[in-house]
Amino acid sequence: MAKEEINIIWLKRDLRLGDHHPFWAAAQSDFPSVILYIFESSLIQDPHYDLRHFRFIWESLQEMNLGLKQYDLSVQILYGEVLDIFKAFNQTYRIRNIYSYQETGLGLTFKRDKAVARFCKNEGIDWKEFFQDGVRRRLYNRKVWTKIWEEEMSQTILPIDFVALHNPSTEWEKGNWKLDESFQQAIATPNEMFQPGGTRYAWKYLHSFYKSRGKTYMQNISKPFVSRKTNSRISPYLAWGNISIRQAYQFGMNQGDAIIGKRNHRQFISRLWWRSHFMQKFETDCSMEFYPVNRGFLRLNRNDEKGYFNHWKNGTTGFPMVDASVRCLKATGYINFRMRAMLTTFATFSLWLDWRAVSYQLSSWYLDFEPGIHYGQVQMQSGNNGYNTLRIYSPTKQVTKNDPDARFIKKWCPELKDIPNHLIAEPWLLTEMEQTFYNCRIGKDYPRNIINFRKATKEHKDFYWSIRQSDAVQSKIPKILKKMVVPNSSKARSAGLITGKHNDEIE
Ligand SMILES: Cc1cc2nc3c(=O)[nH]c(=O)nc-3n(C[C@H](O)[C@H](O)[C@H](O)COP(=O)(O)OP(=O)(O)OC[C@H]3O[C@@H](n4cnc5c(N)ncnc54)[C@H](O)[C@@H]3O)c2cc1C
């Protein structure tokens, strides 16, 4: 008997029902469609990922299934490797088309996609990959990119005819590809410390940002305590595709500056542009997952010779701003940009830790982990480009500037709660009497500082500069700039999209 012909809608980081090209395209086809999400065993084991990510995905899928129910459709949630599952489907059915978005992902998913492409070619399956996020594959020169981005963001959102989508007449037996019971139980257990997954929440955050929270967006953006409320907080929703960047952009442009003010509105929109910019960089050179963007920096030889990594990872460095940021990020999946930058520069310059180890750890903590932004930022903050202004954030100064009332530190390092705010940044300077008086023995209740920040950072910075000025680094810069940096576009600047001093810098 001839096999039933089907389409597969393969969901990845696009967990939504609106502004969705693969759904739209499948609805134009006469073949029945299977909607698939695969929890990939290799990704579950990958050091970039953590339970928090899979829980967010699970919550997003549950919400999608609620929306699809009225059309008698649902996402089939499977566990295994994509290629094996596609092969199994192709035994029961004849797959005619696979619809998905192009993924600007890790080396692992790129390799998987190449294997899927080979399989499709051999089996005569048409794999239609749609682009998204303002990112283009094989774009080796950034001159035209801002125009492409603006056009994509302004495009009309296509309505999806879900009624036209229909299930295959024969059922598919999940068999070996079912979710493991303990894994399912773990991801299906909610955790109130984290932002919940799903499109409904994405819109809720966007609405409240433009309705009121965004009024003090720029004023508070670097402050770890208040910015949790005044930043948009849409990053996990964009990262897992609960909302498309185009939806966020069009919503923001429609709201405009009436309530939150011109500066806050422009800066928000410019960050959406930056998001795509970093993702495009990663799409162009995904080797930055493994090597410094500027290979001249291979000679830096950062390492964990002194065993500092665990202190950094456990939030026990003795620097309250670093420890509070780590503890907060671990517990909630979120910390603001400035503290992310500080954690990275502290680890890679002050502690001289390898940027890859730091990157894995941070990505597993960020609920909004997005490989393109993450690797671009980690490379930049750890000085691996060789052309950016080098900013190393002092954890002591960050207290005075961004947590002067110590609300953030006292929340996440409660052992410091009795110390007066003006003494809290450098607890190792407390006298014996002060330690007794403020109920905090340094080295017992709270760790002693593991390094002398100034001395260690200066030593490493001097060495870094000796390498940075070398021909091995300098000779590579023109090529990198041509490939990675958007040429000075006056249009993008006047539209408020580029805001940093350099076209590759952002605060
Ligand atoms: C070392 C390091 C790693 C980072 N890793 C990630 C990551 O994995 N995923 C991620 O989404 N962001 C990452 N960022 C960027 C930034 O810190 C977060 O996007 C931001 O804190 C998210 O909060 P928000 O949604 O309230 O941002 P808002 O300030 O409200 O900005 C709106 C959106 O713009 C984008 N955006 C904001 N800042 C930046 C930026 N500097 N570069 C690129 N896009 C930006 C995000 O999608 C964000 O959701 C990283 C920053 C650093 C320094």
Side-chain angles (χ1 to χ4, degrees):
M1 202 173 78
K3 291 185 203 167
E4 186 176 9
E5 297 180 308
I6 61 157
N7 298 318
I8 286 182
I9 302 171
W10 177 21
L11 301 172
K12 299 193 255 180
R13 283 173 171 255
D14 49 337
L15 306 178
R16 61 175 180 274
L17 297 177
D19 192 18
H20 200 287
H21 269 89
F23 272 122
W24 174 84
Q28 314 298 309
S29 151
D30 291 334
F31 299 116
S33 293
V34 173
I35 310 164
L36 270 190
Y37 184 85
I38 301 166
F39 280 96
E40 295 170 68
S41 21
S42 46
L43 281 188
I44 290 170
Q45 281 151 28
D46 187 87
H48 292 93
Y49 288 101
D50 179 69
L51 178 69
R52 63 192 64 194
H53 301 121
F54 304 117
R55 184 172 48 228
F56 192 91
I57 295 170
W58 174 261
E59 289 165 353
S60 308
L61 292 170
Q62 299 312 303
E63 192 204 49
M64 285 180 81
N65 274 341
L66 275 180
L68 288 168
K69 205 171 166 196
Q70 58 185 305
Y71 306 106
D72 198 24
L73 298 167
S74 67
V75 183
Q76 292 225 33
I77 303 172
L78 304 177
Y79 178 92
E81 293 301 346
V82 172
L83 193 57
D84 295 339
I85 291 177
F86 283 173
K87 281 181 182 165
F89 263 95
N90 210 35
Q91 273 173 8
T92 307
Y93 306 102
R94 160 144 163 64
I95 307 174
R96 291 295 298 260
N97 302 293
I98 297 177
Y99 298 102
S100 78
Y101 275 113
Q102 224 167 51
E103 186 175 354
T104 304
L106 297 169
L108 200 67
T109 56
F110 188 40
K111 210 168 135 197
R112 169 257 274 154
D113 283 353
K114 285 201 273 195
V116 169
R118 275 194 302 275
F119 163 73
C120 289
K121 197 168 167 222
N122 291 341
E123 298 296 326
I125 299 166
D126 194 2
W127 181 16
K128 296 193 174 70
E129 282 189 287
F130 296 90
F131 48 73
Q132 60 176 346
D133 293 313
V135 174
R136 293 294 178 278
R137 196 152 279 179
R138 288 181 274 278
L139 181 81
Y140 295 112
N141 193 314
R142 296 293 293 271
K143 267 189 194 155
V144 288
W145 182 75
T146 296
K147 195 163 173 280
I148 293 177
W149 187 85
E150 284 173 338
E151 277 172 11
E152 187 182 322
M153 293 309 120
S154 314
Q155 262 166 17
T156 309
I157 291 174
L158 298 168
I160 300 162
D161 183 8
F162 282 103
V163 177
L165 283 174
H166 54 284
N167 294 308
S169 54
T170 39
E171 281 245 351
W172 191 74
E173 199 33 66
K174 276 189 187 175
N176 290 340
W177 316 112
K178 265 197 216 133
L179 286 193
D180 172 80
E181 233 173 76
S182 62
F183 177 70
Q184 179 165 341
Q185 198 182 4
I187 60 177
T189 307
N191 185 331
E192 282 175 7
M193 295 296 280
F194 295 86
Q195 289 175 266
T199 299
R200 187 166 69 90
Y201 285 101
W203 285 112
K204 214 171 152 185
Y205 276 96
L206 253 186
H207 275 279
S208 63
F209 178 75
Y210 265 96
K211 205 169 150 206
S212 63
R213 289 190 299 112
K215 282 181 192 169
T216 51
Y217 175 48
M218 289 316 287
Q219 189 183 320
N220 296 329
I221 196 160
S222 297
K223 300 179 181 142
F225 194 85
V226 236
S227 66
R228 299 180 80 80
K229 283 228 165 81
T230 56
N231 277 2
S232 75
R233 305 292 305 272
I234 61 163
S235 52
Y237 303 102
L238 287 171
W240 298 104
N242 289 165
I243 190 173
S244 72
I245 184 172
R246 178 172 31 223
Q247 287 175 309
Y249 173 85
Q250 294 190 2
F251 177 81
M253 294 306 275
N254 283 337
Q255 297 296 306
D257 53 19
I259 296 179
I260 66 170
K262 198 169 173 178
R263 183 159 171 255
N264 294 322
H265 167 63
R266 279 170 70 120
Q267 290 289 337
F268 172 76
I269 297 292
S270 86
R271 275 160 177 74
L272 297 181
W273 184 88
W274 276 102
R275 177 177 195 275
S276 302
H277 162 70
F278 275 98
M279 291 177 73
Q280 180 66 55
K281 272 169 67 151
F282 193 62
E283 178 63 53
T284 308
D285 181 9
C286 60
S287 72
M288 70 170 85
E289 180 185 340
F290 307 103
Y291 304 102
V293 166
N294 190 319
R295 302 288 196 271
F297 287 117
L298 280 168
R299 292 150 78 198
L300 285 178
N301 192 25
R302 286 163 163 143
N303 57 60
D304 190 23
E305 241 168 33
K306 297 193 175 142
Y308 290 149
F309 186 79
N310 278 340
H311 287 282
W312 176 79
K313 174 183 162 178
N314 296 328
T316 55
T317 64
F319 289 84
M321 201 51 148
V322 172
D323 296 342
S325 297
V326 162
R327 296 178 196 186
C328 166
L329 176 57
K330 255 170 139 168
T332 70
Y334 183 81
I335 191 82
N336 62 328
F337 176 85
R338 173 61 66 87
M339 296 308 135
R340 294 187 197 207
M342 181 197 69
L343 287 180
T344 313
T345 61
F346 187 82
T348 57
F349 280 100
S350 309
L351 304 180
W352 205 241
L353 296 173
D354 184 80
W355 62 273
R356 275 160 293 226
V358 171
S359 163
Y360 288 142
Q361 189 59 70
L362 289 174
S363 56
S364 75
W365 286 337
Y366 294 147
L367 184 61
D368 59 24
F369 169 51
E370 175 62 69
I373 310 179
H374 183 68
Y375 273 100
Q377 282 291 348
V378 169
Q379 292 271 354
M380 186 159 82
Q381 303 298 338
S382 51
N384 282 347
N385 295 345
Y387 56 84
N388 296 111
T389 316
L390 186 64
R391 291 198 187 95
I392 299 176
Y393 298 98
S394 148
T396 306
K397 283 197 192 135
Q398 288 308 311
V399 180
T400 347
K401 277 172 78 176
N402 291 315
D403 193 31
D405 54 9
R407 268 197 292 173
F408 179 69
I409 288 178
K410 289 188 177 177
K411 180 171 168 63
W412 294 103
C413 301
E415 61 270 45
L416 304 173
K417 72 179 186 328
D418 295 333
I419 301 178
N421 297 345
H422 70 283
L423 296 176
I424 210 164
E426 298 175 311
W428 59 88
L429 296 180
L430 294 177
T431 62
E432 286 291 317
M433 207 151 78
E434 284 169 330
Q435 292 181 36
T436 311
F437 200 65
Y438 302 134
N439 301 311
C440 183
R441 309 295 310 171
I442 300 305
K444 185 167 168 267
D445 301 319
Y446 182 71
R448 187 167 293 287
N449 52 327
I450 54 170
I451 51 161
N452 174 324
F453 175 79
R454 264 209 209 145
K455 189 166 166 276
T457 309
K458 184 177 180 319
E459 241 169 53
H460 296 139
K461 211 164 97 174
D462 288 349
F463 176 60
Y464 168 83
W465 274 107
S466 72
I467 303 280
R468 179 157 164 163
Q469 280 155 351
S470 70
D471 188 50
V473 166
Q474 292 300 318
S475 61
K476 300 195 175 55
I477 291 178
K479 210 170 154 194
I480 299 173
L481 285 176
K482 187 160 177 245
K483 200 160 70 167
M484 300 292 216
V485 177
V486 183
N488 211 333
S489 151
S490 53
K491 191 167 170 242
R493 243 177 218 289
S494 60
L497 296 175
I498 299 175
T499 50
K501 258 191 286 174
H502 191 289
N503 285 358
D504 196 29
E505 282 169 19
I506 188 167
E507 164 47 21

